[in-house]
């Protein structure tokens, strides 16, 4: 829906905004080596960072695999059945993979191994792989930014075994993120066995990092680093004396979790680091107590101070609370006020622990969402330089937990949940500028099968959001072909009201080796991919009329659609999902 009446209403209520005009969409670049690209942050001076996902030609090491084991034989049998159901003929055997290097030449064999390894990600006797990398955008070119990955000793290139969350960039191009250590292939002999087995171990689960504009890398090693400890770096700003970075760090391991480690991790059945990894992933709050933190660094990226920002509750000394408590800082503004989330107590029952949006200011942790209005979770994702916070909170609506975006003015203490697309739509406020414009995304769609996310912009003080797709062209330049892009997420808005985010478009489908996919009749197949984009306001633009008024059936007016979560594409929303 792109009607002139929408443009008229916007112009009537907003005087100098980005949404008083249409936008020009520009792709920021895509990688020849990956299917999807995403923006994670943009500085006011134009540095753009993000991530790419769906790497082609992920390296597969088969040298250690016993192809006679039932785990891989059963997986191959299931794949055979899937091919048969699709009226396709399987083009490889396990022998081809083992002896004929099929993973390098046969995309079906390569896809099978990727799927197999992904399905047993908690089995540390098999290779670990990751399809997500950090990238820098520069003049439509994507350059990979490794965090902790290193060159493999088993195949050409990096190990491709690390987590890579590339989160924020400062005005002069210093960036931050966090990731895991690369996995090493080691020999380990379980107690009672005579032969050594191959296992995959690594040094730490997660660690923050600062990367200078010149490439200098500074790991943010926590003071408490037993079993590697943990740290995350989520945001950075330039200061007069250097840089402020916020995130979280491990401070200790609760007593009950220490008992779990002592009882289970004896280096007999598996390496200790494998046991710690499994415990950390299987326990709901993990092994480590973590606290929001603020690092100060000088111009040379030397760490000058580390300040814990606190927790929104006071743990009891009793045995019932020997579990991990976590707070984190996700963003910081020029005033040094940080926002994020923290464990806190449910107001009706102290034994129930919630994760709620908070801000950190003057030594206090302020939990500002009113639980008595039935809010029971959420995160604060961004803060403007005039101390207005945005993010999302969680409430049960129509029987299902929904996420609803908000803004909170620290000066007044006022929290507002604006009207979004419709009452059962989940929505997120991802960023806010000093002019009061918030960008994010919300669910649209009138049925379970069509529920999807689309980007919005909202001006503080208005009563509804505006779908950014309503402010884009209806057609390509030929005037006939439908516009190629759909805005799925708006991640960043700068002070020029330029918006950066994620759009989807349809392209020729590629297999896991990067080759074009055709159907059984030889016709090229197509798929939807995520691309990083920039929206630039057009000064005298005009919202186009894409459909006759009688065609208008817009889901934001409904209040009773059944809820269904449908992820638009892999890792859309990755920054929000992983930054706790």
């Amino acid at each position: 829906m792109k009607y002139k009446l929408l443009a008229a209403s916007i112009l009537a209520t907003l005087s100098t905004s980005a949404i008083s005009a249409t936008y020009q969409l520009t792709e920021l670049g895509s990688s020849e080596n990956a299917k999807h690209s995403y923006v994670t942050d943009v500085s006011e001076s134009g540095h753009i960072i993000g991530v790419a996902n769906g790497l082609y030609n992920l390296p597969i090491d088969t040298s250690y695999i016993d192809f006679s084991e039932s785990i891989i034989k059963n997986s191959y049998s299931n794949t055979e059945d899937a091919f048969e159901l699709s009226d396709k003929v399987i083009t490889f055997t396990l022998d081809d993979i083992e002896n004929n290097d099929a993973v390098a030449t046969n995309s079906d064999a390569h896809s099978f191994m990727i799927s197999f390894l992904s399905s047993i990600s908690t089995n540390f006797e098999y290779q670990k792989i990751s399809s997500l990398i950090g990238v820098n955008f520069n003049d439509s070119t994507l350059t990979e930014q490794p965090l902790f990955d290193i060159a493999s000793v088993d195949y050409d290139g990096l190990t491709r075994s690390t987590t890579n969350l590339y989160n924020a960039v400062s005005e002069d191009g210093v960036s931050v993120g966090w990731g895991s250590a690369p996995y090493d292939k080691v020999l380990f002999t379980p107690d009672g066995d005579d032969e050594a087995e191959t296992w995959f171990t690594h040094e730490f689960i997660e660690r923050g990092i600062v990367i200078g504009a010149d490439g200098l890398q500074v790991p943010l090693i926590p003071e408490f680093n037993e079993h590697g400890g943990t740290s995350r770096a989520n945001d950075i700003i330039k200061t007069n004396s250097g840089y402020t970075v916020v995130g979280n760090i491990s401070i200790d391991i609760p007593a009950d979790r220490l008992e779990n480690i002592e009882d289970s991790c004896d280096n007999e059945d598996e390496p200790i680091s494998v046991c710690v990894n499994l415990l950390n992933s299987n326990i709901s709050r993990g092994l480590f107590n973590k606290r929001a933190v603020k690092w100060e660094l000088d111009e040379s990226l030397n760490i000058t101070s580390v300040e814990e920002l606190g927790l929104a509750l006071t743990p009891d000394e009793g045995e019932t609370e020997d579990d991990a408590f976590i707070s984190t800082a996700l963003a910081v503004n020029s005033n040094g006020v940080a926002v994020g989330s923290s464990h806190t107590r449910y107001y009706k029952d102290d034994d129930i622990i919630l994760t709620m949006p908070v801000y950190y200011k003057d030594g206090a942790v302020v939990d500002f969402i009113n639980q008595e209005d039935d809010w029971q979770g959420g995160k604060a994702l961004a803060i403007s330089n005039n101390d207005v916070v945005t993010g999302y909170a969680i409430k049960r609506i129509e029987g299902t937990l929904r996420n609803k975006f908000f803004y909170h003015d620290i000066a007044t203490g006022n929290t507002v949940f604006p009207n979004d697309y419709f009452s059962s739509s989940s929505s997120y406020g991802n960023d806010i500028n000093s002019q009061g414009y918030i960008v994010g995304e919300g669910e649209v769609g009138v049925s379970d099968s069509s529920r999807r996310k689309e980007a919005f912009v909202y001006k503080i003080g208005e009563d509804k959001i505006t779908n950014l797709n309503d402010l884009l062209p209806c057609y390509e330049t030929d005037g006939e072909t439908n516009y190629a892009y759909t805005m799925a997420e708006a991640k960043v808005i700068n002070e020029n009201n330029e918006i950066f985010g994620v759009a989807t478009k349809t392209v020729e489908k590629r297999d896991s080796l990067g080759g074009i996919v055709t159907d059984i009749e030889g016709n090229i197949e197509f798929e939807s991919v995520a691309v990083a984009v920039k929206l630039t306001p057009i000064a005298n633009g005009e919202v186009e009329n894409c459909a006759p008024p009688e065609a208008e059936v817009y889901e934001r007016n409904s209040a009773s659609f059944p809820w269904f979560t449908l992820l638009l594409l892999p890792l859309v929303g990755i920054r929000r999902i992983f930054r706790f």
Side-chain angles (χ1 to χ4, degrees):
M1 182 190 74
K2 302 183 180 76
Y3 299 124
K4 293 184 189 298
L5 62 91
L6 175 62
S9 65
I10 292 170
L11 287 166
T13 55
L14 302 175
S15 58
T16 59
S17 74
I19 61 173
S20 65
T22 55
Y23 282 89
Q24 176 183 339
L25 183 150
T26 306
E27 274 197 51
L28 295 175
S30 56
S31 173
E32 294 181 355
N33 301 316
K35 194 178 291 286
H36 309 288
S37 63
Y38 310 85
V39 172
T40 53
D41 197 27
V42 182
S43 74
E44 290 294 329
S45 54
H47 298 91
I48 306 172
I49 68 168
V51 293
N53 186 37
L55 287 181
Y56 302 125
N57 286 296
L58 276 173
I60 305 298
D61 178 12
T62 61
S63 62
Y64 66 95
I65 298 177
D66 181 353
F67 284 87
S68 67
E69 289 191 345
S70 60
I71 188 172
I72 194 166
K73 290 175 69 176
N74 290 339
S75 182
Y76 180 78
S77 178
N78 292 335
T79 301
E80 278 187 306
D81 292 342
F83 267 71
E84 185 175 345
L85 286 173
S86 301
D87 293 325
K88 295 181 179 179
V89 177
I90 199 164
T91 59
F92 66 95
T93 64
L94 290 181
D95 183 71
D96 289 332
I97 295 175
E98 181 179 12
N99 298 309
N100 299 324
D101 198 23
V103 292
T105 58
N106 185 311
S107 62
D108 289 339
H110 186 262
S111 294
F112 165 76
M113 287 303 301
I114 294 294
S115 177
F116 169 69
L117 293 172
S118 299
S119 70
I120 56 168
S121 60
T122 58
N123 185 331
F124 289 82
E125 294 181 79
Y126 287 86
Q127 178 187 0
K128 303 299 147 202
I129 53 174
S130 173
S131 184
L132 184 73
I133 60 172
V135 294
N136 297 302
F137 295 89
N138 187 16
D139 296 330
S140 299
T141 301
L142 274 66
T143 304
E144 181 175 359
Q145 177 58 68
L147 302 183
F148 292 102
D149 209 354
I150 59 174
S152 171
V153 298
D154 296 304
Y155 40 77
D156 292 338
L158 301 174
T159 71
R160 298 297 181 205
S161 65
T162 60
T163 302
N164 301 286
L165 278 299
Y166 196 32
N167 289 329
V169 62
S170 71
E171 291 308 291
D172 56 352
V174 179
S175 53
V176 298
W178 62 269
S180 60
Y183 281 87
D184 296 315
K185 187 168 65 174
V186 301
L187 291 177
F188 174 81
T189 305
D191 191 43
D193 287 1
D194 296 327
E195 293 186 11
E197 302 172 349
T198 297
W199 288 76
F200 290 83
T201 66
H202 65 177
E203 182 182 351
F204 54 82
I205 296 170
E206 59 187 33
R207 182 162 294 170
I209 191 169
V210 181
I211 302 169
D214 60 357
L216 174 67
Q217 297 195 347
V218 180
L220 298 171
I221 302 173
E223 182 176 350
F224 180 85
N225 61 1
E226 287 186 28
H227 303 291
T230 72
S231 66
R232 295 184 178 187
N234 294 323
D235 199 13
I236 182 172
I237 58 168
K238 184 79 175 68
T239 66
N240 292 333
S241 58
Y243 305 89
T244 298
V245 176
V246 295
N248 71 11
I249 55 172
S250 55
I251 61 167
D252 59 33
I253 298 175
D256 280 4
R257 303 291 78 81
L258 279 173
E259 281 189 25
N260 293 144
I261 294 173
E262 291 168 359
D263 291 345
S264 302
C265 303
D266 52 14
N267 208 43
E268 293 184 358
D269 297 323
E270 70 268 305
I272 289 177
S273 70
V274 167
C275 179
V276 169
N277 263 279
L278 290 171
L279 284 175
N280 188 68
S281 60
N282 291 332
I283 295 172
S284 60
R285 298 191 213 165
L287 292 176
F288 298 91
N289 277 314
K290 304 176 188 179
R291 296 294 181 267
V293 67
K294 181 187 292 185
W295 291 274
E296 299 293 344
L297 294 87
D298 63 21
E299 296 279 358
S300 300
L301 303 185
N302 298 301
I303 299 171
T304 58
S305 70
V306 182
E307 176 190 359
E308 288 183 29
L309 299 179
L311 189 68
L313 61 81
T314 301
D316 291 340
E317 296 298 328
E319 293 181 0
T320 59
E321 294 209 330
D322 276 338
D323 209 340
F325 290 107
I326 301 171
S327 63
T328 192
L330 299 176
V332 63
N333 69 5
S334 59
N335 303 318
V337 182
V339 299
S341 60
S342 173
H343 279 146
T344 190
R345 301 190 190 281
Y346 182 42
Y347 81 105
K348 290 183 178 180
D349 186 345
D350 281 356
D351 291 333
I352 297 176
I353 304 301
L354 305 177
T355 298
M356 296 297 291
V358 297
Y359 66 83
Y360 308 89
K361 183 180 181 183
D362 299 330
V365 184
V366 182
D367 174 5
F368 55 86
I369 298 293
N370 187 357
Q371 290 187 29
E372 294 186 25
D373 288 337
D374 297 325
W375 298 105
Q376 48 191 292
K379 298 179 184 180
L381 300 177
I383 181 170
S384 68
N385 286 331
N386 45 10
D387 291 350
V388 181
V389 183
T390 192
Y392 69 95
I394 303 171
K395 178 186 255 188
R396 191 170 297 278
I397 300 173
E398 300 177 7
T400 302
L401 291 176
R402 320 283 185 180
N403 303 319
K404 291 293 185 179
F405 93 96
F406 67 80
Y407 66 88
H408 175 83
D409 189 328
I410 291 177
T412 65
N414 190 38
T415 303
V416 176
F417 287 86
N419 292 325
D420 52 11
Y421 288 132
F422 54 93
S423 65
S424 65
S425 168
S426 283
S427 58
Y428 308 84
N430 290 328
D431 197 20
I432 180 172
N433 68 12
S434 296
Q435 300 169 54
Y437 289 96
I438 296 171
V439 294
E441 74 271 355
E443 290 180 323
V444 301
V446 297
S447 68
D448 287 354
S449 61
S450 65
R451 192 67 72 98
R452 64 194 183 280
K453 293 190 295 182
E454 292 192 6
F456 69 75
V457 60
Y458 171 83
K459 174 69 169 67
I460 288 179
E462 299 304 319
D463 63 353
K464 65 178 181 179
I465 63 178
T466 298
N467 190 320
L468 283 170
N469 292 294
D470 294 339
L471 304 179
L472 294 175
C474 301
Y475 305 104
E476 295 295 322
T477 54
D478 62 9
E480 296 179 357
T481 305
N482 287 335
Y483 194 60
Y485 301 90
T486 299
M487 282 296 298
E489 286 192 346
K491 297 299 298 180
V492 179
I493 183 167
N494 64 21
E495 296 302 327
N496 294 323
N497 288 324
E498 296 170 323
I499 298 171
F500 299 80
V502 178
T504 62
K505 70 174 185 177
T506 300
V507 299
E508 293 180 340
K509 187 175 183 179
R510 293 185 178 273
D511 59 37
S512 66
L513 293 177
I516 300 296
V517 176
T518 59
D519 61 22
I520 57 176
E521 297 178 351
N523 300 312
I524 292 176
E525 295 187 3
F526 293 85
E527 64 182 339
S528 182
V529 298
V531 292
V533 298
K534 173 183 178 180
L535 300 186
T536 305
I538 300 173
N540 298 307
E542 187 176 78
V543 177
E544 298 180 26
N545 185 358
C546 295
E550 61 267 25
E552 180 180 359
V553 179
Y554 196 40
E555 55 273 10
R556 78 174 67 182
N557 295 320
S558 171
S560 60
F561 295 121
W563 182 88
F564 180 79
T565 299
L566 176 64
L567 290 180
L568 178 65
L569 284 168
L571 300 183
V572 172
I574 185 168
R575 189 178 184 193
R576 181 177 59 254
I577 292 171
F578 288 100
R579 287 177 61 189
F580 185 83

